[in-house]
Amino acid sequence: MSEVVHFSRQGPVGIITVDYPPVNALGPGVREGILDALDRGIADSEVRAMVLIGAGRSFIAGADIRGFGKGRRSPTRRTHDALETSPKPVVAAIHGYALGGGLENALGCHYRIAVPSARVGLPEVLIGILPGGGGTQRLPRLIGPEAALEMIVSGRHVPAPEALKLGILDELVEGAELRDAAVAFAMRVMHEPVLPRASEREIPEHDPGIFEAMRKKVARRARNQKAPWHCIRCVEIACSTPFEEGIRQERALFEELENSEEAKALRYAFFAEREAQRSPVVPRGTPARPVEAAAVVGAGTMGGGIAMTCADAGLPVKIMDKDPEALARGMERIGKTYAASVARGSLDEAVMAARLALIEPVKTYDAIADADVVIEAVFEEVGVKRDVFRALDRTMKQGALLLSNTSALDIDEIAAATERPEDVAGAHFFSPANVMKLLEVVRGERTSQEVLASVQALAKRLAKVGVVCGNCDGFVANRSRAPFNTEMIILLEEGALPEQVDGAMVEFGYPMGPFAVGDLAGLDIGYAGRKRREAADPTIRPLPIADALVEAGRLGMKTGAGWYRYEPGDRTPHPDPEVAALIRRIAGESGVEQREFDDEEIVQRLLFSSVNEACRIIEEGMAGRAVEVDTMWLYGFGFPRYRGGLMYWADTIGVRSVYGRIAAWHQRYGERWAPAPLLRRLAESGTPLKEAASDM
Ligand code: 3H9
């Protein structure tokens, strides 16, 4: 028998167990193993029914993503068909995940049961493909095209209780071992004269308008991509075509997508994200300290968001502020944010109550002394933060993780306020902290590996993507983004308009343009930071247009005007002739030559400046590898995932072209475009940017 699939028998029930750790992806030998086991069960006269189950932590997480794009041969016999045409009933017994090809095989089975914690889904769209194992044809027949369309186009993981309601599952297994329950279920159905087969079902009644409605709904999100459209098409085909023909067309559309640029980029992003969370500076197996209770210092917007993140993950958290009014305001803000989610229908009232019950407001350091982790989120000023850390050092129990949510300050300076700098690290959450998934884990000079491993484990628990980085101004994410922010203003000096730059970036794939984002966040914070940096470093390039805008009182959406004009109560940005006039006036005063830009130049000017800075960051060892930068851009700045990440995208243009362009801009614009030495070396050797690493 195959090493990755086992066959055993319990009375009249044959049990097919997939055993391919860690998540039973359909890797080499798994499909063949399932087919062999199935044939064995069919041939064995003592076997009357079968169970398909996964060993370890999951049922089957889908096809092996590593195998895509490597010229796999199309199998002559498909497991989902073989399972369905078996003359003996087959019961899929699901725990952990039944995703993609995993769910498709389960849909081929005659019955499906699951434990309540299981999740099922067809997430192929998220890696740029479509369910190519019959999923787009069987699921609409089983649960109706509307529900199937929603699942396939969103790719979301559906919790087992919902899957039961939808009709994907036949039964939930509670209070019993899954395997025992599956054997009992199989014995119940083994005498059924007719086996239910999803492919033989009629498509349920549906509104034919659902397909156009879905196309409209995804139009913005699916810009520049093919997979979401092909997914819709496949479900539409299921509704108008016999099953066999539908399968043929599903296959053809799948093959069209498998090697598309978007699928390659999304596969890269899938693995980059996982790789980025394994820092080369934290050896594998480094133990993480247990965290059962958390504390946050500072009840401002960030502190509140971090406390909510803890509560969302079921972690009890105390939020501490010495100022009773700030504390009350903070708790009110938390309550309102949750209430808004309830009003939108995205959060259950009971869940809100449970989360609020996990957040306890307190006024003293003594009240948080027992916490396993404390995250400081007070005013961004090093003296204030050092005072907090001095107090934490005095009160917190030994072994507590002492974290600062600074976005730019020197972690070593903060750590030096304590007697235990090895326990201090940065935990830079992005705003809003309860929404954004990136967490920069900032490594101070003396931060211990155990503390870094613990913060990474905490990040995972909080459903964040934790990436370790070095302690430099702006850390990795914001530092690599800073030249982009400068360049977008300089483009205005040269003749571009905010709406043109935003249009180019939205067309590239960002959900919003950078000027509109600036208006949303408020322009005063950037202004203050700029003035501080200019005072400290006279070589910094001034940005007179951005300054003039803020000095004219245009602070963004909150003042009804920023780079755009806003109508009261409406967030739509309207291009403003006053801004165009201000830009022209200042550009005229500075004597910069005015010219036309096309979208490609805008995109490259902004992003290449960041690629160049990222090379410096990697060379200095502040980020270990390009995958870390790419992951930060995906989760911190909404970089379009189907373009892989900043460095991956630059490779699609080519390292030599990127270098050539940057070198030309260096000639034209001067020092700020000086090519990073690492970039030059990569270009000379033709090494892709995505392979950039700090030891090169
Ligand atoms: C498909 O099925 C196509 C079909 O329609 C038919 C085609 C004909 N392949 O994420 P984790 C690895 S497309 C290869 O850290 P978690 C992962 O890289 C597929 N490897 O754990 C990691 O390895 P490492 C549709 C995979 O508990 C390890 O397993 N399915 C695959 O946080 C642990 O993963 C999907 O898109 C895979 N399919 O999350 C599901 N899955 O330790 C993709 C995982 O070396 N997977 N690995 O870094 C997931 O969404 C998550 O992994 C899952 C578990 C939710 C399952």
Side-chain angles (χ1 to χ4, degrees):
M1 193 87 258
S2 140
E3 277 176 20
V4 289
V5 180
H6 315 296
F7 185 80
S8 60
R9 197 157 64 75
Q10 193 169 324
V13 179
I15 301 172
I16 304 170
T17 307
V18 180
D19 188 4
Y20 185 58
V23 289
N24 294 327
L26 297 165
V30 177
R31 284 172 212 273
E32 296 79 358
I34 293 175
L35 290 173
D36 286 352
L38 183 69
D39 288 344
R40 194 162 148 187
I42 293 171
D44 186 339
S45 59
E46 311 245 314
V47 169
R48 308 290 305 271
M50 278 172 274
V51 165
L52 176 64
I53 195 166
R57 61 191 239 210
S58 201
F59 179 70
I60 299 171
D64 186 350
I65 303 175
R66 288 181 205 276
F68 283 121
K70 296 197 177 135
R72 287 174 301 129
R73 268 189 303 116
S74 243
T76 43
R77 199 169 154 225
R78 293 173 196 286
T79 46
H80 53 94
D81 286 335
L83 288 161
E84 197 181 50
T85 49
S86 157
K88 299 179 183 179
V90 188
V91 181
I94 301 170
H95 75 298
Y97 294 94
L99 299 176
L103 179 59
E104 291 177 300
N105 278 318
L107 294 176
C109 294
H110 308 102
Y111 302 95
R112 288 155 294 278
I113 65 172
V115 296
S117 59
R119 287 174 174 264
V120 306
L122 294 173
E124 284 86 343
V125 70
L126 306 177
I127 49 169
I129 55 173
L130 55 81
T136 66
Q137 305 302 299
R138 283 197 179 89
L139 193 63
R141 286 177 162 80
L142 200 63
I143 66 170
E146 190 165 5
L149 197 58
E150 187 278 326
M151 261 182 76
I152 294 172
V153 176
S154 71
R156 82 186 165 96
H157 299 175
V158 177
E162 186 189 344
L164 178 73
K165 276 196 206 131
L166 283 171
I168 299 173
L169 299 176
D170 298 292
E171 204 171 280
L172 283 193
V173 175
E174 282 175 280
E177 280 291 316
L178 177 62
R179 187 185 147 117
D180 297 343
V183 169
F185 189 101
M187 291 183 47
R188 257 187 2 245
V189 296
M190 69 190 185
H191 301 297
E192 291 289 328
V194 183
L195 292 181
R197 296 190 166 95
S199 69
E200 291 172 358
R201 290 198 177 209
E202 291 293 322
I203 289 278
E205 283 283 309
H206 62 279
D207 168 5
I210 55 174
F211 303 105
E212 271 328 293
M214 184 56 91
R215 288 191 176 98
K216 276 210 185 92
K217 188 173 160 199
V218 302
R220 224 179 123 86
R221 179 163 55 84
R223 191 192 302 110
N224 304 327
Q225 297 176 72
K226 275 201 224 156
W229 309 102
H230 279 23
C231 284
I232 299 173
R233 180 76 198 116
C234 279
V235 180
E236 204 171 25
I237 289 168
C239 296
S240 58
T241 316
F243 181 78
E244 287 308 328
E245 173 58 17
I247 288 283
R248 205 190 56 71
Q249 295 197 30
E250 176 195 88
R251 188 76 218 164
L253 290 170
F254 175 88
E255 281 169 7
E256 199 186 311
L257 292 177
E258 184 178 347
N259 284 315
S260 64
E261 289 309 314
E262 79 194 61
K264 285 187 208 155
L266 287 163
R267 285 200 288 271
Y268 166 83
F270 178 87
F271 291 113
E273 171 186 339
R274 284 162 178 79
E275 196 50 41
Q277 292 175 74
R278 277 194 286 265
S279 169
V281 296
V282 185
R284 276 222 201 194
T286 305
R289 296 181 190 168
V291 171
E292 298 308 330
V296 174
V297 178
T301 313
M302 262 336 249
I306 296 169
M308 289 172 75
T309 304
C310 294
D312 293 350
L315 182 62
V317 57
K318 290 181 179 166
I319 180 160
M320 183 268 184
D321 205 307
K322 283 201 276 192
D323 175 353
E325 277 173 28
L327 191 58
R329 268 198 313 275
M331 287 305 290
E332 195 185 322
R333 199 178 307 113
I334 290 173
K336 277 192 180 151
T337 311
Y338 276 136
S341 302
V342 172
R344 264 200 315 273
S346 59
L347 188 70
D348 210 70
E349 190 129 15
V351 177
M352 169 173 83
R355 290 184 186 174
L356 281 170
L358 287 173
I359 307 177
E360 184 187 343
V362 298
K363 299 190 188 76
T364 63
Y365 284 106
D366 285 336
I368 60 168
D370 276 344
D372 303 307
V373 55
V374 55
I375 304 162
E376 162 280 309
V378 301
F379 187 64
E380 188 77 346
E381 209 276 309
V382 75
V384 180
K385 295 206 187 258
R386 280 173 58 90
D387 287 346
V388 170
F389 273 79
R390 226 169 267 126
L392 291 175
D393 193 25
R394 273 197 307 274
T395 40
M396 297 306 294
K397 70 174 182 189
Q398 286 304 312
L401 308 168
L402 309 182
L403 310 181
S404 171
N405 173 54
T406 174
S407 57
L409 299 174
D410 182 349
I411 286 295
D412 291 332
E413 214 178 326
I414 296 171
T418 73
E419 298 286 316
R420 34 178 150 163
E422 64 285 355
D423 286 342
V424 179
H428 178 208
F429 287 82
F430 282 63
S431 179
N434 55 319
V435 177
M436 299 297 286
K437 283 195 71 176
L438 178 60
L439 178 67
E440 270 183 310
V441 180
V442 188
R443 167 173 55 95
E445 179 112 44
R446 297 186 51 193
T447 311
S448 76
Q449 288 177 337
E450 189 181 289
V451 165
L452 293 175
S454 306
V455 186
Q456 282 206 295
L458 176 67
K460 200 160 172 103
R461 166 129 182 230
L462 298 180
K464 301 288 178 199
V465 177
V467 185
V468 174
C469 69
N471 179 28
C472 57
D473 190 15
F475 309 134
V476 168
N478 284 340
R479 178 176 158 191
S480 61
R481 169 70 191 220
F484 172 123
N485 294 346
T486 300
E487 223 51 41
M488 71 191 228
I489 313 279
I490 296 177
L491 283 175
L492 305 184
E493 285 175 26
E494 292 180 68
L497 285 171
E499 52 271 30
Q500 188 193 359
V501 175
D502 277 1
M505 298 316 279
V506 168
E507 199 39 56
F508 176 75
Y510 276 93
M512 268 172 102
F515 286 103
V517 170
D519 275 359
L520 192 65
L523 303 174
D524 42 339
I525 304 162
Y527 176 84
R530 209 159 50 240
K531 291 293 138 193
R532 244 195 338 267
R533 283 193 300 278
E534 281 172 15
D537 178 1
T539 65
I540 284 183
R541 165 79 157 76
L543 299 173
I545 294 178
D547 290 351
L549 198 78
V550 171
E551 284 156 14
R554 303 184 66 119
L555 308 186
M557 210 180 273
K558 61 187 171 189
T559 58
W563 293 110
Y564 296 93
R565 176 179 70 70
Y566 299 87
E567 302 290 347
D570 184 6
R571 297 169 146 234
T572 315
H574 299 282
D576 190 342
E578 268 184 40
V579 174
L582 177 142
I583 292 171
R584 262 193 303 274
R585 178 173 59 76
I586 296 177
E589 284 166 9
S590 64
V592 176
E593 180 199 335
Q594 299 292 289
R595 58 194 192 86
E596 299 276 318
F597 289 92
D598 60 21
D599 282 5
E600 184 183 273
E601 184 173 356
I602 292 173
V603 168
Q604 295 191 354
R605 267 286 284 279
L606 301 192
L607 294 177
F608 285 3
S609 71
S610 288
V611 170
N612 198 28
E613 187 64 22
C615 287
R616 289 186 205 285
I617 290 172
I618 292 171
E619 185 153 33
E620 289 169 23
M622 294 298 156
R625 298 149 306 161
V627 282
E628 291 156 28
V629 175
D630 281 345
T631 301
M632 290 189 181
W633 276 64
L634 292 175
Y635 286 107
F637 302 134
F639 189 87
R641 194 174 170 91
Y642 61 85
R643 295 198 188 272
L646 178 70
M647 306 294 260
Y648 179 93
W649 164 77
D651 279 330
T652 63
I653 292 165
V655 62
R656 293 199 167 108
S657 304
V658 174
Y659 174 75
R661 204 79 209 254
I662 288 178
W665 283 333
H666 183 209
Q667 296 292 315
R668 176 173 187 155
Y669 295 111
E671 255 333 271
R672 74 173 196 278
W673 277 101
L678 175 62
L679 174 63
R680 183 177 35 78
R681 289 202 301 279
L682 293 173
E684 280 166 2
S685 61
T687 309
L689 281 149
K690 66 175 190 286
E691 287 169 21
S694 52
D695 51 9
M696 280 178 144

